[in-house]
Structures are given as C-alpha cells and as structure tokens.
Amino acid sequence: MTITPESIQQQLQSENVGDRLRAVNDLRHLDPAIAFQLIQTAIKDQSARVRYAAVSQMTSLGEQDRETALTVLRDRLHNDSEADVQAAAADALAALKLTEAFDDLRQQYETTKEWLVKFSIVAALGEMGDPRSFEVLEDALLNGEQLVKTVAISALGELGDRRAIALLLPYATDPDWQIRHRLTQALGTLGGAEVRATLEQLASDEMEIVAQSAQVHLQQI
C-alpha cells in the first residue's frame, strides 16, 4: 500500500487503535512539514499508546514549527492523563532545546507524584543546559527516588555548574554501583583538580565498569 497524506489521514480516523498507531509510524515516510500537520490529530488521540507515539515523534517534527510544538508539548506535559505521555513531552522539549518551557518543567517536577515524569524532567533539564536548572537538579539528587538520583548525577554533569562538585563527591561511596558509575561520568565531564582525588579512588572500585570509567576520565582531565 502506497503511503500518502490521504491514506494516513484516513487511518488516523479509524476506530482501530492499531490502524492509528501504524498511521503515526508511517508519518516518517512523509515530508516533515506535512507530517507535522497530521500528527496534531494523533497527539490528542483517545488512546495513550497513540498519543505517546505521536508526542515522541515531536522530538524531530517539532522543528517544523517550534512555537506550535512548544504549545502542544506544554499541554501534554501538564494535562495528559498518562505519565508516559507526560514523560515523552519532557523528552521532546529537551530534544528541541525549548528552554522557554523551563518554568513548566520545574512546576511539573514540583507537583507530580509520578517518578517516571520526574525522571524525564531531570534528564531534560540536564540536556537543555539551562543554568536555572541547578536547584531542581540539586533537589532531585538529595530527595529523589534511586533512579531519579541516578539521572540527576548525569544531569548535573551535563549542566556544567561547578557548584555540583561538592554535592556529587559524597556519592563515591554509595553502595549502588550504578550511582558510582554515573558519578565517574559526571565528574569527568565537570573536570578540574577538585575531582581528581575522587576519580582516583573510583579507579580502584570493586566494580570493573566503574573502575574503567574512572580511569578513562582521569586521562582526560
């Protein structure tokens, strides 16, 4: 079957969820400007699976109209009933570097009870690199669930604010090797003389993956 804007439009109106999901996936074969217009219907679909697939595609299609993308993604971040769709909206805002949504991301981080949404927002703030993110990332590190703490360590490294070093160093002795592994990467990204002693300590970590990462980053600072 030849994929055309008309065929996808018809599928998007189908009562069958599978048809609508295929339509969203088939949008990748169309001109991005046309796909961007068609995906607006799917973003408000009654099925969370369809909405998730559509919002996820905004990471690339959003470049067609960043202002509209910002409006749509803000709406899904705040108002979607499903956590995974809200998380996908945060991911897309980060991929598009829509720093205008910083206050939206901070507000949602502070109000949501969904760890997945918090996780995606913390990752998004690190990717965006907005200096205003430091306090949110600090809170995620100190008060977040374990997976949120893990991504907060990476995000603080990406952000590049050197105030993070004092917050991060105590995690060199964390019992979770994944925390220590992320720490080697974050400290390596931040660099500087302040992190050398901790990386040297981690270079002898009992977990090989942690030790190897620390050794690599030591060579780069």
Side-chain angles (χ1 to χ4, degrees):
M1 177 180 174
T2 302
I3 297 172
T4 65
E6 292 74 23
S7 67
I8 289 180
Q9 181 69 60
Q10 184 175 2
Q11 281 187 304
L12 287 172
Q13 295 171 352
S14 170
E15 294 184 0
N16 185 288
V17 173
D19 288 342
R20 302 201 302 276
L21 274 173
R22 278 190 293 275
V24 173
N25 291 330
D26 285 345
L27 286 171
R28 294 183 172 90
H29 300 290
L30 297 183
D31 178 273
I34 296 173
F36 180 82
Q37 295 302 320
L38 289 173
I39 209 167
Q40 304 308 312
T41 300
I43 284 173
K44 296 183 178 180
D45 194 274
Q46 62 183 359
S47 165
R49 292 170 60 200
V50 175
R51 296 198 306 276
Y52 175 81
V55 170
S56 296
Q57 280 208 44
M58 289 294 284
T59 57
S60 56
L61 290 179
E63 292 290 359
Q64 298 301 311
D65 184 340
R66 291 173 62 84
E67 184 174 348
T68 298
L70 177 62
T71 299
V72 168
L73 293 172
R74 274 174 165 161
D75 175 67
R76 291 302 88 196
L77 177 70
H78 288 299
N79 300 319
D80 203 278
S81 60
E82 298 295 326
D84 58 348
V85 180
Q86 291 179 306
D91 294 341
L93 287 166
L96 294 166
K97 295 291 193 293
L98 289 169
T99 56
E100 302 95 321
F102 171 76
D103 287 334
D104 301 272
L105 291 165
R106 178 173 57 187
Q107 177 187 344
Q108 193 65 6
Y109 171 84
E110 292 172 349
T111 57
T112 186
K113 293 181 172 58
E114 298 286 350
W115 75 266
L116 177 61
V117 178
K118 284 184 180 287
F119 180 96
S120 289
I121 289 172
V122 170
L125 292 175
E127 186 175 350
M128 282 181 170
D130 191 312
R132 295 173 293 174
S133 301
F134 182 81
E135 285 75 18
V136 178
L137 299 182
E138 179 182 18
D139 180 80
L141 178 66
L142 299 177
N143 301 311
E145 297 184 25
Q146 193 72 354
L147 286 174
V148 176
K149 285 179 184 287
T150 303
V151 76
I153 290 173
S154 295
L156 284 164
E158 289 181 279
L159 190 64
D161 189 320
R162 302 198 66 76
R163 289 178 293 170
I165 293 175
L167 295 174
L168 292 172
L169 293 182
Y171 289 89
T173 56
D174 193 276
D176 186 343
W177 70 265
Q178 294 179 82
I179 290 280
R180 302 195 306 277
H181 184 232
R182 291 290 184 103
L183 179 62
T184 63
Q185 297 169 333
L187 294 180
T189 300
L190 288 163
E194 311 99 303
V195 308
R196 177 172 288 279
T198 301
L199 283 174
E200 288 174 345
Q201 173 188 337
L202 290 166
S204 301
D205 196 273
E206 62 183 5
M207 287 295 295
E208 184 177 1
I209 189 172
V210 176
Q212 288 180 345
S213 179
Q215 291 161 15
V216 168
H217 288 295
L218 273 170
Q219 295 172 2
Q220 297 172 350
I221 63 173

